[in-house]
Amino acid sequence: SQLKESEALLVGSAFHTMVLEPHLFDEEFFVMPKFDRRTKSGKQKAHALESEMIAQGKKCITQPNFDMIVAMKNAIANNPVCSGILTGGEPEVSFYVEDFHGIKVRVRPDYLGKDYVVDLKSCQDASPKSFLGDIYKYGWKIQAAFYADVLGMDKFYFLASEKKSPYACQVYLMSEKSMDEGRAQYLQAIELWKEYLETGIPSVYHHPTLEDGIITL
């Protein structure tokens, strides 16, 4: 449901801040105390407090979600490889490039090391098989190659962090093959975008079997 999706995005955002910019957490987020929302009074109190926090520019998260992201952060801190790649670099810095293959681009990597980029992902299952499935499902190869190329970096890491006990975390390095596949896809996307800017006509789907506007699956 849409509500579940928006809560997942909120928790993901709180997790990123907690791990990458913990000094900003209290400015940006507020942990809601527990109210008995089955009663009219409890509902009203919860709504009043939530409204007040939103007016102060804060996003409200529940105590269980807060406890979860603290546990996730601690698991990363206690893992030398995971905490190691988040050391000595810069989190959440925006970069603008006026001409990248003929278009203007802006990227905001989660974390930038000396010669590498890190993207922090919260997930249900950080195992290789499951995470590889997520990489394909969400097109993260494209993101990896695009970010690395825009920033002129050699390596791209995903740091996968599980949202359930024992909050396992695992670092994944994208291979040259994966980066080449992602690069081919983003270059094709840029060409389609430039075509759209020139013609105003949205492109059709592309597929190896496309013929006369029809795709055979």
Side-chain angles (χ1 to χ4, degrees):
S1 75
Q2 225 171 356
L3 202 64
K4 274 236 165 111
E5 272 177 36
S6 59
E7 189 189 13
L9 288 172
L10 174 65
V11 171
S13 171
F15 169 60
H16 274 68
T17 303
M18 173 69 76
V19 174
L20 301 169
E21 299 178 295
H23 57 287
L24 297 179
F25 191 86
D26 290 339
E27 281 175 41
E28 295 180 11
F29 296 92
F30 177 74
V31 183
M32 285 288 285
K34 197 163 169 57
F35 291 97
D36 186 353
R37 291 176 189 254
R38 291 167 302 178
T39 67
K40 191 178 176 185
S41 159
K43 267 187 200 161
Q44 285 173 340
K45 283 177 185 168
H47 183 68
L49 183 58
E50 212 165 327
S51 300
E52 190 188 321
M53 289 303 132
I54 290 166
Q56 289 180 26
K58 295 187 182 189
K59 297 166 193 158
C60 298
I61 66 165
T62 64
Q63 186 71 47
N65 281 335
F66 176 74
D67 294 342
M68 177 182 75
I69 63 174
V70 168
M72 291 164 77
K73 180 196 174 166
N74 290 341
I76 289 169
N78 292 327
N79 180 309
V81 177
C82 294
S83 57
I85 63 164
L86 298 178
T87 306
E90 286 286 322
E92 303 280 5
V93 183
S94 292
F95 293 86
Y96 300 87
V97 178
E98 281 298 312
D99 184 355
F100 183 74
H101 295 284
I103 61 166
K104 282 184 185 180
V105 298
R106 170 189 179 265
V107 294
R108 189 175 169 85
D110 285 346
Y111 196 86
L112 200 59
K114 199 193 289 186
D115 63 346
Y116 63 87
V117 187
V118 183
D119 196 83
L120 183 62
K121 299 286 189 199
S122 54
C123 57
Q124 293 299 329
D125 184 350
S127 68
K129 185 181 177 185
S130 179
F131 197 72
L132 186 63
D134 285 349
I135 285 172
Y136 277 100
K137 184 178 176 183
Y138 299 114
W140 289 341
K141 283 183 186 182
I142 303 169
Q143 176 198 354
F146 180 69
Y147 271 53
D149 290 355
V150 169
L151 297 162
M153 294 290 170
D154 298 329
K155 291 180 281 195
F156 191 101
Y157 295 103
F158 284 111
L159 199 175
S161 172
E162 287 184 358
K163 297 192 277 189
K164 60 182 189 297
S165 184
Y167 306 102
C169 50
Q170 177 64 47
V171 174
Y172 291 101
L173 171 66
M174 297 300 279
S175 67
E176 264 186 62
K177 180 175 176 284
S178 290
M179 295 293 264
D180 286 344
E181 287 171 7
R183 186 171 295 115
Q185 287 178 273
Y186 86 62
L187 287 171
Q188 183 187 44
I190 285 174
E191 289 313 307
L192 293 173
W193 174 245
K194 287 199 286 196
E195 205 177 287
Y196 171 69
L197 290 178
E198 280 169 30
T199 63
I201 302 164
S203 63
V204 295
Y205 284 109
H206 284 251
H207 190 269
T209 67
L210 177 69
E211 196 177 328
D212 299 328
I214 296 167
I215 294 169
T216 304
L217 297 177

